[in-house]
Amino acid sequence: MSSAAPERTERDVTGLLNMAGHALSNRLAAALAAVDLTPRMQCVLVHALEEERTQIQLAALADLDKTTMVSTVDDLERRGLAERRPSATDRRARIIAVTAAGRAAAEEGQRIVDRVHAEALGALPEQAREAFVAALRQLVDGGLEPGPRPVRRARQATSR
């Protein structure tokens, strides 16, 4: 029985993208923390400013599960950055409305997001930046199926 690892025939693209994404996510979270925002909050604020949207619509745009979305909006409300209001077009629905303070926070947050992304792209040679972003966009928008969602296992009750 051989103890040699199987030969890799392709680059570990998943690993490289995960490492790069993790590093960039950490840098973005640290930069936004300076203005008391999280990347999730920033994402929700920006999407809520684009047009009137319900919490469910915003969760889908931000790729957040229902529980995470509720806690994110709760945090935004506690900080006075957004509020839940009845929809002007559907009285059964509630939308997430961004306050004046929320708009100012989202604008500052977007400057930070843009700066962090520019710094990350700045690590690449100038002529490669556009091609890199275009390649990522092509993977996300057209060439790469998202596949099944990971299965979350139910927590097992512990006895004490």
Side-chain angles (χ1 to χ4, degrees):
M1 181 171 193
S2 174
S3 63
E7 180 184 348
R8 290 186 184 204
T9 59
E10 295 291 331
R11 295 287 309 240
D12 182 5
V13 177
T14 303
L16 292 171
L17 287 172
N18 282 339
M19 286 187 280
H22 183 72
L24 187 55
S25 292
N26 286 344
R27 290 178 72 186
L28 183 60
L32 284 170
V35 293
D36 202 24
L37 287 176
T38 67
R40 285 185 192 133
M41 290 175 174
Q42 175 65 19
C43 184
V44 169
L45 287 171
V46 168
H47 285 304
L49 283 166
E50 291 169 342
E51 64 183 68
E52 184 176 284
R53 290 191 166 120
T54 65
Q55 192 165 291
I56 292 169
Q57 291 169 322
L58 290 169
L61 286 168
D63 196 29
L64 298 176
D65 63 69
K66 187 176 174 180
T67 303
T68 303
M69 183 64 191
V70 168
S71 67
T72 300
V73 175
D74 287 348
D75 285 345
L76 290 170
E77 279 191 314
R78 262 192 300 280
R79 295 169 190 222
L81 303 177
E83 56 192 29
R84 293 170 172 97
R85 290 185 190 159
S87 168
T89 58
D90 181 354
R91 61 187 169 144
R92 297 167 298 168
R94 297 185 63 76
I95 58 120
I96 305 306
V98 179
T99 64
R103 175 178 292 281
E107 289 169 353
E108 179 64 21
Q110 193 58 53
R111 285 189 288 276
I112 291 168
V113 169
D114 290 344
R115 186 192 79 232
V116 169
H117 290 164
E119 288 170 358
L121 289 172
L124 298 173
E126 192 171 342
Q127 64 276 13
R129 295 173 195 166
E130 214 171 292
F132 175 72
V133 173
L136 287 175
R137 180 161 303 288
Q138 186 175 359
L139 283 174
V140 171
D141 291 346
L144 194 60
E145 287 295 319
R149 294 285 242 175
V151 176
R152 293 191 177 187
R153 299 173 196 256
R155 291 185 182 178
Q156 294 183 349
T158 59
S159 58
R160 292 184 183 204

